[in-house]
Amino acid sequence: MKEVFVNSIGSVSVQKTFDTSGFLDDLVDYEGTSVKAVDPNYKDFIPPAAARRMAKGIKMSAVSSQNALKEAGLENVDAIIVGTGLGCLGESEKFVRDLLDNDEQYLTPTRFIQSSHNTVAGSIALDMGCKGYNFTYVHSNISFESSLWDAKLQLQNNEAENILVGAVDELVEHHVTTHQFIDHIKKEPVSMKQVLRSGTKGIVFGEGSHFFVMSNQKQASTYSKLIGMGIYNTLANSEVSHTIMAFLEKNGLCKEDLDGVILGNNGDVDYDTIYHDLETSIFKDIPQYVYKHLSGEYDTASGFGFWMANKILKTGKVPELIRWNDIKVTQPKRLLLYNQYRGKNHSLVVLEKC
Amino acid sequence: MSSDLKQELKEKIIEQLNLEDVTAAEIADNDPLFGDGLGLDSIDALELIVMLDKDYGIKLADPKEGRKIFESIATMAAYISANKA
């Protein structure tokens, strides 16, 4: 089986990650219960005639995918695989609202076209003329990991050489309102520095798009090697640490081999305890990093974590605001990412500097 | 033919079709809406057909009629004035 590399990255998020030269140098603070992505100048990436019909998720993905392709030195890929929890939800909401408001009459085509989950993968393929495998995974908060898994298998088996893998979700007002009602999103505004220690129920909702060129060929731009990954839809809280240890062993590793663990803490007092249990047990002697105070939480926020892990491995830099404990390692070489949402859909990914 | 209607059409088209960089003043009454003019396409044509129905109560029985009706703001305004319910 072939090895799998992350050859390039691209991101649009709540932080200025569209600036490919920096790495969380100029953080964007917020005070709220939902936080929108910082918009790049979309006109630099998308012709105005095309942009006028694009939902936010497509626009963000046009930028992040183009940045990833440019860095990889590619104009086309063998496959495009995208993970999204909610797709272009904004257009779906508008389409449904039009249905209701106009008594199922006067439905316009644009919103319908954009209301499907696979709009992003399709739009990118159309833009670059990619006629290869095009797939969208819609699996809640393991949507991105499912895409990654598919890409990993294809690359390992040499069914493809370069695959564009993406993660995208957009913030929509109605979704925030309904999820606040059921305590999944915080009711009281919090700031970036407060959110992970807020001690309240729910999360701060965010949005973003993160794309990566995955390949079975290492090149000058390569960020990391994908060592292993695991997805667990259901897992009792008491089984998490045992499962992580078994996962590491299966990949020929032990916890001492890790230079850091990137945790998906999102500030929800009811479910961050799963992370806290690990922080004080199997991960207590390992540098711990967090990121969802910077990105907000959304189904594919782990794409931001994956982007951050690759940046750390390539630059050797660890921004102060992502440190979760006091243990420091210079030039981290191997990182474990662990994520879960509301105690379900746990994912593990190990990346290694190369 | 009312110049108010032409102005209204320009503003509706800009809003409905999300023409971010275009102002009503930049669209001349006789500018072609498709092709070399405003650069609208077939999806926009569908949007305009829906707009005629929803906002002016005009149903196009034959979508091929649209080619002449949507030639310009002036032809649209003339058609609406003649057929408005």
Side-chain angles (χ1 to χ4, degrees), chain B residues 19-82:
Chain B
L19 303 174
E20 286 174 347
D21 294 331
V22 180
T23 63
E26 289 170 333
I27 307 174
D29 292 350
N30 293 307
D31 277 354
L33 296 180
F34 292 82
D36 293 337
L38 209 51
L40 304 186
D41 58 23
S42 57
I43 295 176
D44 295 316
L46 288 170
E47 297 274 359
L48 293 179
I49 289 171
V50 173
M51 189 179 90
L52 276 190
D53 190 0
K54 185 180 172 188
D55 296 349
Y56 301 101
I58 300 171
K59 281 189 195 296
L60 287 192
D62 179 8
K64 285 179 188 165
E65 284 181 280
R67 187 168 293 187
K68 280 196 169 179
I69 297 164
F70 300 135
E71 242 175 44
S72 67
I73 292 292
T75 56
M76 273 187 84
Y79 185 80
I80 290 168
S81 297

Side-chain angles (χ1 to χ4, degrees), chain A residues 66-85:
Chain A
Q66 283 180 39
N67 278 340
L69 286 167
K70 188 178 171 189
E71 189 177 31
L74 294 172
E75 288 185 356
N76 213 324
V77 287
D78 303 315
I80 298 169
I81 310 175
V82 174
T84 178

Side-chain angles (χ1 to χ4, degrees), chain A residues 140-275:
Chain A
S140 184
N141 64 299
I142 49 162
S143 301
F144 169 61
E145 286 78 1
S146 302
S147 306
L148 203 56
W149 192 292
D150 188 350
K152 174 179 171 282
L153 292 174
Q154 292 196 43
L155 293 168
Q156 282 179 329
N157 293 313
N158 210 22
E159 290 170 15
E161 193 171 307
N162 293 296
I163 299 180
L164 186 63
V165 180
V168 58
D169 272 296
E170 60 183 30
L171 190 157
V172 182
E173 210 168 299
H174 181 70
H175 181 79
V176 172
T177 309
T178 50
H179 282 71
Q180 272 179 331
F181 186 70
I182 54 173
D183 283 337
H184 286 193
I185 293 179
K186 290 190 188 302
K187 289 195 166 79
E188 299 298 324
V190 287
S191 70
M192 178 177 75
K193 287 179 183 166
Q194 295 168 328
V195 60
L196 297 186
R197 300 188 197 278
S198 60
T200 55
K201 284 175 184 284
I203 50 112
V204 169
F205 199 74
E207 63 178 357
S209 168
H210 320 283
F211 273 80
F212 310 91
V213 171
M214 309 286 297
S215 176
N216 51 23
Q217 304 292 323
K218 189 180 167 189
Q219 61 183 48
S221 68
T222 299
Y223 279 74
S224 67
K225 184 163 76 173
L226 179 62
I227 300 297
M229 62 180 300
I231 295 173
Y232 311 87
N233 297 112
T234 53
L235 207 55
N237 292 1
S238 58
E239 291 176 65
V240 175
S241 72
H242 169 75
T243 304
I244 292 172
M245 295 304 282
F247 164 81
L248 290 173
E249 194 181 335
K250 187 180 162 194
N251 287 283
L253 298 168
C254 59
K255 60 187 170 71
E256 287 74 22
D257 294 325
L258 302 173
D259 295 320
V261 55
I262 296 179
L263 301 165
N265 301 41
N266 59 20
D268 186 333
V269 71
D270 288 342
Y271 295 96
D272 272 3
T273 50
I274 297 170
Y275 297 111

